[in-house]
Amino acid sequence: MPYDEGKAAVGRPSPTPGLKGILSTVGGTPLIELERLVPGFTSRVYAKAERFNPGGSVKDRSALSMVLGRIRSGELVPGRSTVVESSSGNLAIGLAQICGYFGLRLICVVDARTTEQNIRILRAYGAEVEVVTQPDPETGELLPQRLRRVAELLARIPHAYCPDQYANPLNSLAHQSTMREIAEELGGEIDHLVLAVGTTGTLSGCAEYIRTAGLRTTVHAVDAVGSRLFDSPVSCARLVPGHGASVVPPLLDPSDADDVVHVTDLECVVGCRRLVRREAILAGGSSGAVVSALERLAPTVRPGSNVVLILPDGGDRYLDTIYDDAWVRERFGEVFHLWKEPDRGPGGGALTGPRGASRTTGPVTRKETVLC
């Protein structure tokens, strides 16, 4: 169908002026105050719930920004152009919905870790899916192989465009609006912002808005143990997608983060399970990482502060993994006490690792905080 800008959805102002239909609902997600997440915490905690974007995640913002800019410039033409991108899940789904709306062909390169549910969603939107199964022989990672396949497709298909979420400044630009929405709701009073990092688009966009607006906000980037983004203390395979990366993206500016917290797959699971038990919010793996990072940071936060968590997506795409007891038991053992036992002291007290070793909360130092 031809692209035609018009009015937003009836009864709801569009965060992206000029759009109509389902895409007019990208952005403008709710900011929810969480009262039960960290027992005894003396500051206010808010969650920016990005699952309320129409494609179900924060990646809808990036996808719309990267595609809409090319459509408005005339570089993407329905019926002629093809969008080709590498994504393990959420960005792919955002692109599939957006390309479907605008009548653009989409080829999405995923890998063997992509869930069958996500592949079915992509195909339901009309996207073509290519699955990479063999890892890169040098690094053992799947992402380099996905990127090679994208390059091959771009070279072969006429009028092909790769949004390249890892390098496209429109990815970062989209998240200046994310931070603007938060700042407007809280009158600019945001003491701490806690967010997961992958392509680092959310990090760079939020950090840029904070600098431009002159906000006094400490930015905590939540990375995965085993990731290459912020000098992970150990190298290990990662089970939970959505944050961390095996390739350092061009968008990354380490100075955008005032502090970095590294979390393990187990902490992601624990954070997700605690979030749904205490706040009835079913969230995805990177949201669990953010929750676990908050518990680590809580003892260092000045009482009366405003702390904002960005929760990137919902948990309905993780029902076969993070929320499946058999999956958790097979990979981590009997760890269910970590979210069923009462917390000990402010901020949840000591955390316990997969072998039952207790870890007390120590001081937070820039780019050195580790949960493992």
Side-chain angles (χ1 to χ4, degrees):
M1 64 176 287
Y3 171 56
D4 177 30
E5 291 185 333
K7 293 182 180 179
V10 175
R12 185 179 189 273
S14 173
T16 306
L19 283 181
K20 66 176 183 178
I22 189 64
L23 301 187
S24 69
T25 66
V26 175
T29 53
L31 188 68
I32 305 165
E33 185 170 4
L34 307 182
E35 299 181 310
R36 305 172 182 177
L37 184 57
V38 184
F41 193 38
T42 55
S43 293
R44 301 179 75 173
V45 179
Y46 299 88
K48 186 66 166 166
E50 291 296 295
R51 70 171 301 162
F52 289 98
N53 284 300
S57 83
V58 69
K59 294 291 189 178
D60 286 10
R61 297 177 185 263
S62 301
L64 183 60
S65 178
M66 293 187 294
V67 171
L68 189 59
R70 287 290 183 120
I71 289 175
R72 287 176 168 167
S73 70
E75 296 171 89
L76 280 178
V77 179
R80 184 189 74 177
S81 303
T82 299
V83 177
V84 183
E85 180 63 297
S86 162
S87 170
S88 59
N90 285 332
L91 181 78
I93 291 170
L95 283 172
Q97 183 175 56
I98 292 161
C99 289
Y101 183 84
F102 288 128
L104 292 164
R105 181 189 180 195
L106 170 65
I107 302 175
C108 190
V109 180
V110 303
D111 60 47
R113 293 177 299 192
T114 305
T115 66
E116 185 61 33
Q117 180 187 26
N118 281 351
I119 291 175
R120 289 199 299 266
I121 293 172
L122 291 172
R123 288 176 173 154
Y125 277 121
E128 300 168 40
V129 180
E130 292 208 7
V131 183
V132 170
T133 58
Q134 297 299 317
D136 174 58
E138 293 184 9
T139 65
E141 296 282 353
L142 289 162
L143 178 57
Q145 292 290 75
R146 289 192 348 226
L147 297 178
R148 288 191 189 100
R149 182 55 182 155
V150 167
E152 292 170 0
L153 291 168
L154 292 173
R156 178 169 59 85
I157 299 172
H159 310 296
Y161 161 62
C162 178
D164 191 3
Q165 61 174 327
Y166 299 95
N168 195 328
L170 292 176
N171 180 2
S172 299
L173 183 64
H175 297 290
Q176 292 188 37
S177 295
T178 308
M179 193 65 212
R180 175 183 53 76
E181 292 170 15
I182 295 169
E184 287 177 353
E185 287 213 46
L186 296 179
E189 298 297 323
I190 307 109
D191 299 292
H192 298 270
L193 178 70
V194 189
L195 52 80
V197 290
T199 67
T200 68
T202 306
L203 170 65
S204 57
C206 289
E208 178 61 25
Y209 183 89
I210 287 168
R211 285 190 293 266
T212 302
L215 304 182
R216 293 203 252 176
T217 305
T218 300
V219 178
H220 305 272
V222 183
D223 195 9
V225 169
S227 165
R228 293 190 59 194
L229 293 177
F230 285 100
D231 299 323
S232 173
V234 297
S235 177
C236 59
R238 293 178 285 119
L239 300 173
V240 179
H243 64 293
S246 57
V247 175
V248 178
L251 288 179
L252 174 61
D253 180 349
S255 67
D256 286 336
D258 299 302
D259 170 65
V260 174
V261 182
H262 286 94
V263 299
T264 64
D265 288 330
L266 176 58
E267 270 90 23
C268 294
V269 173
V270 172
C272 285
R273 295 295 191 103
R274 287 181 175 173
L275 183 61
V276 73
R277 285 177 64 87
R278 295 174 183 174
E279 297 284 354
I281 295 176
L282 190 72
S286 51
S287 297
V290 169
V291 169
S292 284
L294 172 64
E295 292 183 333
R296 176 74 174 186
L297 296 166
T300 72
V301 174
R302 180 175 51 83
S305 299
N306 284 340
V307 182
V308 176
L309 316 179
I310 295 181
L311 305 184
D313 63 0
D316 50 328
R317 295 169 190 167
Y318 301 81
L319 297 179
D320 293 332
T321 55
I322 288 170
Y323 295 100
D324 183 87
D325 287 350
W327 185 90
V328 172
R329 184 179 292 109
E330 179 181 348
R331 286 153 183 80
F332 304 109
E334 294 294 336
V335 295
F336 304 97
H337 61 284
L338 293 177
W339 54 86
K340 292 180 180 178
E341 286 185 348
D343 294 313
R344 295 173 289 168
L351 294 178
T352 306
R355 295 182 176 83
S358 177
R359 280 182 297 281
T360 58
T361 302
V364 177
T365 56
R366 190 176 189 275
K367 296 182 175 60
E368 292 180 355
T369 306
V370 181
L371 295 173
C372 61

